Amino acid sequence: MPIIESVSVAAVAIPLDKVTSFSTRTVSERHYCLVKVRGKDGNEGIGFCYVGSAGGDVAKVAVEQLLAPKLIGQNSHRSEGLWMEMYDESILQGRSGVVMRGISILDTALWDLNARAAKLPLHQYLGSVVDDRVPAYASGGYYLDGKTPAKLGKEMETYVNQGFKAVKMKTGRLSPREEEARVKAARKAVGDDVLLTLDANNAWRDLPTALEYIRRFEQYNPYWIEEPFSPDAIDLHAALARQTTINVATGEMEAGRWRFRELIDTGGAAILQPDAAVCGGITEWRRIAVYADVKGVTVCPHWMHDLHAPLVAATPNARFVEFFLDDQVLNFRRLINKQLTFKNGDLILHKTPGLGFEFDEAAVKKYAGKAAWTKVM
């Protein structure tokens, strides 16, 4: 019986090489929370999440004080029961936010641990649809000082030249006229046969303002408009979906299957973007994906391609993994010892057990300090 012996947790902060902006925020560093769940048999699974541009210790405290003690001495294969017990234990403090992220990373570590013990890559352990590669879109198009529409177009073109058949850019920070110029330049650069997706990062607060932008964008045939409003404004997402030909995509900040059910049932998302490091882990992500499949909704998970590539490989209604080609924006890749490779717009799945990589302990120590890990036993 695979019994959990200990949980180790660390909080790290990694500065960005360049200050980077999107519609409503500017980011100079990324905070992550990391966990390692170790079994008495010597196998170990890992989990991780992005916490935000500050406050990484908040998630660490949630893991240490609320969640990890529920796992010690338990059978790691009892993942459904352990998920429910962590959720119930933290229901007053959690149900979303950093506490649910804590549940997410521990749940991910359990799946990784069990797949490693079975000596199977995670996508095979989950029951894969495909076994070698998954489609990805190249994510970028952030705002940088001096980045003109022409320079944005050139960036998008470089992704296409590397084989990607879908790309994503940011929108919503500038005026409608200026944003149209950016979208126009991107479409011209990638051509008509590449899917162009737009991410507004909660830029707009009302439907009329959103439509000022959307009406200008429609002629360039974007595949989706992502997070047009606050994640709590589900009714506005649904209202926009009824008034545009552009697919509305959202869900990256949502936690728990109940919020995703509301999003789907109100028509607020044609493309669902659950993040397994946010929504409740692999266990909850799979529940959400199944409900979306029943309702005919496509899943394209948000961020963390290292985590989501095996999930997309094991999910019939999942279409793309979001992929960052470098570490300027998603600098988590500095913390692991093996990177996913890509070919012709597809990510090549790891063939080694579990997630297929480990934390780079030297990097963790660099960004978390000498006493990087706290152990709960």
Side-chain angles (χ1 to χ4, degrees), residues 11-25:
V12 301
I14 308 178
L16 296 182
D17 292 337
K18 297 178 182 178
V19 175
T20 302
S21 298
F22 40 101
S23 63
T24 58
R25 295 180 289 282

Side-chain angles (χ1 to χ4, degrees), residues 60-125:
K60 184 173 183 277
V61 168
V63 171
E64 286 177 353
Q65 297 186 15
L66 282 173
L67 305 171
K70 303 298 294 183
L71 302 185
I72 306 303
Q74 298 295 317
N75 181 348
S76 67
H77 284 160
R78 201 171 62 82
S79 54
E80 287 280 354
L82 294 175
W83 192 98
M84 184 170 58
E85 289 161 21
M86 287 191 289
Y87 180 84
D88 289 345
E89 178 68 18
S90 61
I91 200 164
L92 294 180
Q93 302 91 346
R95 296 170 41 234
S96 62
V98 292
V99 175
M100 187 63 100
R101 291 180 192 228
I103 293 175
S104 298
I105 61 179
L106 289 168
D107 180 79
T108 295
L110 290 176
W111 281 95
D112 184 39
L113 170 65
N114 291 335
R116 289 173 192 259
K119 295 181 170 44
L120 288 173
L122 181 58
H123 63 280
Q124 291 182 355
Y125 186 72

Side-chain angles (χ1 to χ4, degrees), residues 265-287:
D265 288 355
T266 58
I271 308 290
L272 207 63
Q273 298 176 303
D275 186 329
V278 174
C279 72
I282 293 172
T283 297
E284 192 73 347
W285 192 95
R286 298 183 85 197
R287 296 183 184 124

Side-chain angles (χ1 to χ4, degrees), residues 226-279:
E226 180 175 335
E227 281 203 311
F229 307 106
S230 161
D232 294 319
I234 292 176
D235 55 339
L236 288 180
H237 285 82
L240 179 61
R242 291 192 293 269
Q243 296 194 45
T244 181
T245 57
I246 305 172
N247 294 308
V248 173
T250 193
E252 68 183 62
M253 294 191 211
E254 297 293 1
R257 72 200 85 135
W258 304 276
R259 285 280 289 185
F260 284 93
R261 179 186 62 189
E262 184 180 358
L263 253 181
I264 293 170
D265 288 355
T266 58
I271 308 290
L272 207 63
Q273 298 176 303
D275 186 329
V278 174
C279 72

